């Protein structure tokens, strides 16, 4: 059992090397990777690499429902999600850490809900504030403990992927009020809310969004920023888990 989970994204396929749990099968299908549980600061923490390990599952093919169901099944009540994103707001340069407080969902064709008509229950969850303010505060304090800069607040645009956006799409997202753009916060955040699990995103800006940088976006540039950023993210995760 574990009450805290970290969902890792690009660059965090390996976070914990602990005991692997037997939960792999769920009513929504198989988990891509078994859950790992480790002891961090005396707490059992589950780790789930959302793209699989090794990193291979595209954002639109992730079985978000199986992932969230499995985490709940082992007792998880708080999730820190790590996301690599592009920066739209010019103040959010590559390397910046952001805790978004809002999102706009531009994805399509993903299984968005556990309420899919297959059971007798239907609920319309309140999703006005998609991220947990309490968990956000813990992450902010943890970053301060580590003397790391982090931006609190911002709108996360969730796009379908796996391709990056066009420059015109990014202009539109900017007009919509989005600050960062990534591919994985939805339906993850909504499914967590349906299960009443606290959910916060710790996002790392890994590139200026399409059309906003001096150069085209390359995976090499993204990997370079991701590598550096994940060192900071691991430190923040450790400090946050100590505080939870
Ligand atoms: N767009 C969408 N998702 C991303 C980006 C981006 O520019 N960078 C990292 N994930």
């Amino acid at each position: 059992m574990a009450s805290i989970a970290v969902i890792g994204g690009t660059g965090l396929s390996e976070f914990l090397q602990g005991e692997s749990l037997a939960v792999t099968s769920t009513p929504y299908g198989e988990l891509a990777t078994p859950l790992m549980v480790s002891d961090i600061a005396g707490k059992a923490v589950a780790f789930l690499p959302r793209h699989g390990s090794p990193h291979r599952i595209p954002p639109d093919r992730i079985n978000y429902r199986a992932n969230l169901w499995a985490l709940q099944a082992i007792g998880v009540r708080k999730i820190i999600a790590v996301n690599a994103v592009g920066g739209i707001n010019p103040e959010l340069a590559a390397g910046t850490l952001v805790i978004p407080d809002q999102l706009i969902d531009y994805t399509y064709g993903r299984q968005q809900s556990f309420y899919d008509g297959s059971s007798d229950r239907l609920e319309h969850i309140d999703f006005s504030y998609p991220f947990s303010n309490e968990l956000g505060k813990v992450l902010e304090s943890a970053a301060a403990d580590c003397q790391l800069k982090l931006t609190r607040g911002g709108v996360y645009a969730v796009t379908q992927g796996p391709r990056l956006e066009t420059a015109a799409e990014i202009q539109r997202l900017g007009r919509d009020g989005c600050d960062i753009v990534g591919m994985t916060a939805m339906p993850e955040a909504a499914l967590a809310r349906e299960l009443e699990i606290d959910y916060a995103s710790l996002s790392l800006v890994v590139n200026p969004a399409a059309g906003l940088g001096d150069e085209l976006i390359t995976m090499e540039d993204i990997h370079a920023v991701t590598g550096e950023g994940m060192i900071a993210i691991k430190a923040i995760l450790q400090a946050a888990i100590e505080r939870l």
Side-chain angles (χ1 to χ4, degrees):
M1 296 295 278
S3 66
I4 304 167
V6 172
I7 302 184
T10 304
L12 206 66
S13 305
E14 281 93 35
F15 172 56
L16 302 176
Q17 299 301 334
E19 181 198 343
S20 124
L21 283 191
V23 187
T24 51
S25 143
T26 82
Y28 301 96
E30 294 289 304
L31 287 188
T33 312
L35 296 175
M36 301 287 290
V37 176
S38 285
D39 183 288
I40 297 185
K43 289 160 194 144
V45 179
F47 176 64
L48 190 149
R50 67 165 79 76
H51 296 283
S53 180
H55 185 100
R56 66 183 185 285
I57 308 166
D60 54 316
R61 297 290 180 92
I62 292 168
N63 190 341
Y64 295 96
R65 295 199 302 180
N67 289 351
L68 273 288
W69 187 94
L71 291 176
Q72 191 202 35
I74 62 162
V76 167
R77 305 305 308 146
K78 293 178 197 306
I79 294 175
I80 302 172
V82 177
N83 305 87
V85 297
I88 301 175
N89 181 329
E91 286 174 21
L92 305 177
T96 309
L97 291 163
V98 186
I99 299 179
D101 61 353
Q102 277 296 332
L103 63 79
I104 300 180
D105 186 6
Y106 299 91
T107 66
Y108 46 87
R110 301 185 184 188
Q111 293 280 4
Q112 295 281 350
S113 175
F114 291 107
Y115 301 111
D116 57 5
S118 63
S119 82
D120 293 343
R121 260 183 87 206
L122 170 61
E123 277 188 37
H124 302 281
I125 50 156
D126 182 288
F127 202 46
S128 314
Y129 303 100
F131 299 107
S132 159
N133 191 35
E134 291 306 306
L135 259 185
K137 274 193 213 154
V138 171
L139 288 168
E140 189 176 20
S141 306
D145 288 350
C146 304
Q147 296 176 333
L148 288 164
K149 242 188 89 204
L150 169 154
T151 300
R152 186 86 197 274
V155 181
Y156 181 134
V158 196
T159 54
Q160 178 74 352
R163 67 163 176 85
L164 297 170
E165 297 71 34
T166 67
E169 286 169 339
I170 292 300
Q171 292 299 320
R172 172 189 165 209
L173 298 184
R175 289 193 297 276
D176 283 357
C178 300
D179 298 294
I180 53 179
V181 54
M183 302 173 188
T184 48
M186 282 295 285
E188 213 170 75
L191 294 168
R193 181 64 55 83
E194 285 188 350
L195 298 175
E196 297 179 357
I197 298 175
D198 290 342
Y199 180 97
S201 157
L202 177 55
S203 291
L204 171 69
V205 179
V206 294
N207 58 278
L212 301 180
D214 298 331
E215 315 272 342
L216 295 180
I217 303 166
T218 66
M219 285 313 288
E220 289 71 38
D221 292 346
I222 287 183
H223 284 145
V225 181
T226 307
E228 289 257 316
M230 286 305 149
I231 298 169
I233 283 182
K234 284 179 191 169
I236 295 173
L237 289 173
Q238 172 84 30
I241 290 161
E242 280 168 19
R243 283 174 165 268
L244 283 173

